[in-house]
Amino acid sequence: MEIEDGFDDLLAEVEVPTSPKKPKSGEDVVAGTAPKPTATKTHCVLVNQKQRGNPLLKFITSVPWEYDEIVPDYEIGKTIGILFLSVRYHNLNPDYINNRLKELGKKYDLRVLLVQVDLKDPHVALKNLTRICLLTDMTLMLAWSPEESAKIIENYKIYENKPPDRIMEKIENDPHQKIINALSSIKPVNKTDAMTLITKFGTLENIIKATEQRLADCPGFGVTKAKKLHKALHEPFLKRGQIKPQTNDEFSEEICLEDIEKMENEVKK
């Protein structure tokens, strides 16, 4: 009962705050008061103390970093954990990465194994590490120098809060752009030439039907470029001898662009 009475007396002395007060600048912390929660260190890359002396640290210059008590070797925000490993060290200590993965557990949404390839023949080790990553839900990233390793870590930090479409391949849905890309894929034709062709002939069909002379008359074209373009647009898609003969002779002949256009027109009719 004496302990309970004493505890009641302590509770009676506790003052309930009426409203939160903003701390004044330069206000000293009173001894004995509860410590204020510190802000999460998400502004920089956190580095494990075990990484002291790693040459890649001097190449991390685009983003800030600092040492901290963390489980992975590098931490990006609170969602990305990176383990660093060199192939040479892995061959000398094959159980090292397994122990680190046990420590990491299921933490972090994105778990990266950054491997620096420092051997001439790393294939056996990389095959083993690939299998480990597949079984432990890790993303394997390879680098061939400390500079590349640092750049990978920097990019993870730079794109930490960026949407996925910033680094995804952009698919062109504009038909006009698709025609330009198709024409410029022919070796002597660049994008400027493709624009010239579209401006003069209007449609891809007219470009295909144009003669070598008309193509050569276009600005930036000559006899050689026109000849190569005309050949690329009119040569068969399949040549004899590339496929086995069919029992049905219906498709045994060469298939050219004109035949496809005729088939398309017949289907439309």
Side-chain angles (χ1 to χ4, degrees), residues 241-247 251:
Q242 291 182 341
I243 58 175
K244 296 180 179 180
Q246 303 287 336
T247 55
F251 298 104

Side-chain angles (χ1 to χ4, degrees), residues 107-125:
K107 298 181 178 69
Y108 303 99
D109 297 333
L110 178 60
R111 299 132 51 81
V112 179
L113 178 59
L114 175 57
V115 177
Q116 185 169 305
V117 182
D118 50 1
L119 290 179
K120 292 183 178 180
D121 188 14
H123 301 89
V124 176

